[in-house]
Amino acid sequence: VPFPNFFQQTPQVLQRPPYKLFDTMAVPLYPSVEHRKVSLRHILRSMGAVPCDAGLLQRRWQLLRCRFAVARLARRQSGGAGTPQVGVQP
């Protein structure tokens, strides 16, 4: 499969913030268990994950920010359809 096909077949939502799936092309994953654990945590944090011990409020806030970002992106892709318009009568 040609490499550009990966970009074409991946949904735009995953290519833009907050996910930015293709921004980092390679992440070192070392063979030892301790190093691999740290590497995977770095990958998850770069995608917006929050540590489990971060506290409920911080985790909820991060999840809400991601949902808003995805909703904004989806609204842009649909040309703004479904957004409320002030002063327009049906």
Side-chain angles (χ1 to χ4, degrees):
V1 176
F3 190 69
N5 286 0
F6 289 106
F7 296 105
Q8 294 168 352
Q9 294 176 358
T10 304
Q12 291 293 317
V13 172
L14 296 176
Q15 294 183 33
R16 296 186 181 145
Y19 305 107
K20 301 184 287 185
L21 189 61
F22 297 120
D23 273 13
T24 303
M25 295 309 263
V27 175
L29 293 175
Y30 298 101
S32 73
V33 176
E34 295 84 9
H35 288 110
R36 176 142 319 195
K37 193 174 185 179
V38 171
S39 296
L40 291 173
R41 283 183 181 169
H42 282 293
I43 293 169
L44 291 172
R45 280 196 172 171
S46 70
M47 294 175 70
V50 186
C52 292
D53 61 352
L56 181 61
L57 185 59
Q58 186 176 359
R59 288 195 311 266
R60 295 281 176 148
W61 175 246
Q62 186 70 20
L63 179 62
L64 187 61
R65 287 179 57 213
C66 286
R67 286 183 180 170
F68 279 140
V70 170
R72 275 194 307 269
L73 191 57
R75 192 172 35 231
R76 276 190 223 135
Q77 288 180 345
S78 68
T83 55
Q85 297 182 9
V86 179
V88 177
Q89 296 292 329

